[in-house]
Amino acid sequence: MDKPVSYLQKHGGITKGRVERFLTNGQWEKVNLNASLYEAQVSGKPNIELEAWSAPEQERPTFEHAVKQSFAPIETGHTFGPSWSSHWVRATLQVPVEFEGKEVRFHFDPSCEALVWSAEGEPLQGITGGGGNTKHIDFILTSKADAAEPKRVLYLEVACNGMFGNGEGSLIKPPQENRKFALAKAELVVLNAEAWSLRHDFEVILAMAKHLPQNSARAWQALATANEIVNIYKVGDQKSISDAHAVSAKFLAAKGGDANHQVYAIGNCHIDTAWLWPYDETKRKIARSWATQIDYMERYPEYLFAASQAQQFEWLQTLYPSLFKRVQEKAKTGQFIPIGGTWIEMDCNIPSGESLARQFLLGQRYFEANFGQRSKVFWLPDTFGYSSQLPQIVQRSGAKYFFTQKLSWNNINKFPHTTFNWIGLDGSSVLTHMAPANTYT
């Protein structure tokens, strides 16, 4: 396919630009798929009543302490701040009668991070507000609303920092100490399920068109399919969504042959124990992240998730004991996979052999005591280099495998292998895998 054989191929760049706008916000959102993503939306009273209490200074109070405080009414547009402060929101929610029989979600966007708590004090799910593709602001309130739905109360622990701390303009810039975050959204919604399914299909098809080898037949087929979907869709016409969804389903159902690979995906939150935020915020990030994963496991029994660093498990055990018990329960079913074998994901260039040995000693001891077994995988995706003592230490700790990738970021020397046996100073060997994608989560 060296020469273009159609108008689509001759002007591929123009077509890609067109189909990308099918999902964008801004000037196109009232005429593209975004205009059809919701069947219904309500905000404000009487359906949503919001009250807030702000913790003093940079205190991070417990749920039991926070809910006893005096809350004052707030509305969307309310500002939380400054950086690193904590604010508790009490949301009293009344599902409209017309939502009967529907799955209802609560959208809460504080433009920063938050943790959803039940009225009884159970951490339920993390929230990531603001812009970008990391945004996650929806909480499933009920999978099927009743005709006489009772009022529900949720608490939201708002943390005044973004996913990557409080630097502005660049991840590695110093934090802005007086950042403010506006409550951008608080509403109850009913999704247009087929429109969302089409959106997810379209995201995959568009990625194939952009990232597969550009002269491959499959890349051109993906672009043609995306273009056809855009042609079919009409705002306000549910049948056009169904017709477009049929086109995407047909494309994604195609198989390359009997020798196709089976690809498995396992979730992971790469949480730096110390990076762009205080240690106390690391502890809350763990709860926000892992509560979300437990929720996924409840709704999708086939979902698997791996997490490393015994220190993070111990923090969860101390500060969020009920959530830690749920993690233990999911570990027994094989859905939540403690991994790594070390106390934290450590540097491996400066520490001594004794320090590295103690990482495994304390880490494996913790996993064995709390999850009944040692980790078989030494998991270290984010360290720039590795001591040649490690294969021996890994093997002696009871682990058999090593997963990493950070060497791929070297801008001078390209590491030549992906799966190989790494042999250490004493001849010990550990089967090692470096992700060929050259990145991690």
Side-chain angles (χ1 to χ4, degrees):
M1 299 184 68
D2 295 331
K3 296 181 180 180
V5 294
S6 70
Y7 182 86
L8 178 75
Q9 290 172 272
K10 185 178 180 180
H11 301 286
I14 294 175
T15 306
K16 285 178 186 175
R18 177 186 188 236
V19 299
E20 284 176 341
R21 297 186 188 100
F22 191 56
L23 301 180
T24 57
N25 292 315
Q27 63 179 324
W28 306 103
E29 63 185 15
K30 292 184 179 180
V31 295
N32 65 16
L33 187 59
N34 289 330
S36 301
L37 293 177
Y38 299 98
E39 289 185 12
Q41 297 166 277
V42 296
S43 60
K45 296 179 180 179
N47 302 108
I48 300 175
E49 296 182 36
L50 302 175
E51 304 164 278
W53 169 75
S54 298
E57 303 296 332
Q58 293 186 13
E59 292 184 12
R60 294 171 171 84
T62 64
F63 173 88
E64 290 75 16
H65 176 80
V67 298
K68 295 176 183 177
Q69 307 309 307
S70 297
F71 285 65
I74 63 169
E75 297 178 344
T76 53
H78 178 83
T79 300
F80 302 110
S83 303
W84 312 121
S85 60
S86 298
H87 309 263
W88 286 76
V89 175
R90 180 164 59 215
T92 304
L93 309 173
Q94 179 65 67
V95 176
V97 175
E98 56 268 27
F99 287 7
E100 180 186 358
K102 305 285 188 179
E103 179 189 87
V104 181
R105 302 192 181 205
F106 178 43
H107 279 189
F108 183 83
D109 184 358
S111 301
C112 53
E113 294 192 305
L115 176 61
V116 182
W117 293 78
S118 72
E120 296 72 35
E122 183 65 30
L124 301 176
Q125 180 195 296
I127 293 286
T128 302
N133 58 11
T134 59
K135 187 172 184 176
H136 181 199
I137 63 169
D138 59 319
F139 173 78
I140 298 178
L141 191 63
T142 175
S143 58
K144 188 176 182 180
D146 292 332
E149 191 75 23
K151 284 189 176 182
R152 297 169 184 257
V153 175
L154 296 174
Y155 287 88
L156 299 109
E157 181 185 8
V158 176
C160 284
N161 54 266
M163 179 178 284
F164 297 106
N166 275 315
E168 290 188 296
S170 170
L171 287 181
I172 60 174
K173 284 189 175 181
Q176 299 295 317
E177 296 301 332
N178 196 33
R179 283 188 70 182
K180 301 294 177 62
F181 301 88
L183 178 56
K185 183 178 291 186
E187 60 184 16
L188 298 176
V189 304
V190 175
L191 304 187
N192 182 337
E194 188 157 32
W196 276 98
S197 184
L198 174 61
R199 180 186 175 91
H200 296 321
D201 283 0
F202 195 89
E203 287 172 339
V204 173
I205 294 168
L206 180 58
M208 293 173 68
K210 292 170 66 175
H211 300 300
L212 288 178
Q214 291 301 282
N215 282 330
S216 67
R218 194 61 172 161
W220 286 116
Q221 291 164 2
L223 184 59
T225 301
N227 195 56
E228 183 181 359
I229 289 170
V230 174
N231 289 340
I232 292 171
Y233 171 76
K234 292 180 177 61
V235 176
D237 183 352
Q238 188 65 28
K239 184 178 183 303
S240 74
I241 295 173
S242 298
D243 292 344
H245 191 205
V247 171
S248 70
K250 180 179 179 181
F251 173 82
L252 294 173
K255 296 182 178 180
D258 294 335
N260 284 348
H261 294 289
Q262 283 190 327
V263 178
Y264 296 89
I266 296 176
N268 172 247
C269 297
H270 178 71
I271 305 174
D272 288 274
T273 299
W275 191 30
L276 299 173
W277 46 80
Y279 280 122
D280 283 345
E281 202 54 49
T282 305
K283 298 170 186 177
R284 296 204 294 186
K285 281 178 175 286
I286 295 162
R288 290 192 288 263
S289 300
W290 294 1
T292 302
Q293 305 312 310
I294 296 295
D295 177 60
Y296 289 157
M297 292 173 197
E298 295 287 352
R299 290 189 282 125
Y300 307 104
E302 71 277 16
Y303 176 64
L304 305 180
F305 174 81
S308 64
Q309 307 189 79
Q311 173 66 87
Q312 296 189 5
F313 283 89
E314 186 187 61
W315 278 335
L316 192 78
Q317 185 177 16
T318 301
L319 299 172
Y320 304 88
S322 64
L323 179 56
F324 181 76
K325 288 180 180 178
R326 294 169 67 198
V327 168
Q328 287 181 308
E329 290 169 2
K330 293 302 182 184
K332 289 178 181 178
T333 67
Q335 286 181 273
F336 200 112
I337 307 168
I339 203 169
T342 54
W343 191 251
I344 61 167
E345 292 180 9
M346 67 286 191
D347 174 60
C348 292
N349 293 305
I350 297 176
S352 66
E354 176 68 17
S355 174
L356 296 176
R358 287 182 179 276
Q359 283 282 349
F360 285 92
L361 174 66
L362 297 176
Q364 293 285 45
R365 179 183 293 169
Y366 181 87
F367 288 127
E368 196 165 38
N370 291 280
F371 295 97
Q373 60 183 359
R374 302 183 187 185
S375 173
K376 296 296 183 183
V377 179
F378 173 36
W379 177 274
L380 195 69
D382 194 25
T383 291
F384 294 89
Y386 317 98
S387 167
S388 56
Q389 298 167 299
L390 278 170
Q392 179 186 19
I393 299 172
V394 170
Q395 195 177 86
R396 294 292 181 89
S397 78
K400 299 170 62 178
Y401 312 105
F402 176 36
F403 174 85
T404 186
Q405 74 82 36
K406 210 56 175 277
L407 286 181
S408 68
W409 288 24
N410 192 308
N411 59 3
I412 304 298
N413 301 310
K414 180 175 175 59
F415 193 77
H417 307 297
T418 53
T419 302
F420 56 96
N421 282 309
W422 180 21
I423 300 175
L425 284 175
D426 73 328
S428 298
S429 176
V430 58
L431 183 61
T432 302
H433 181 68
M434 285 187 60
N438 295 334
T439 188
Y440 46 104
T441 54

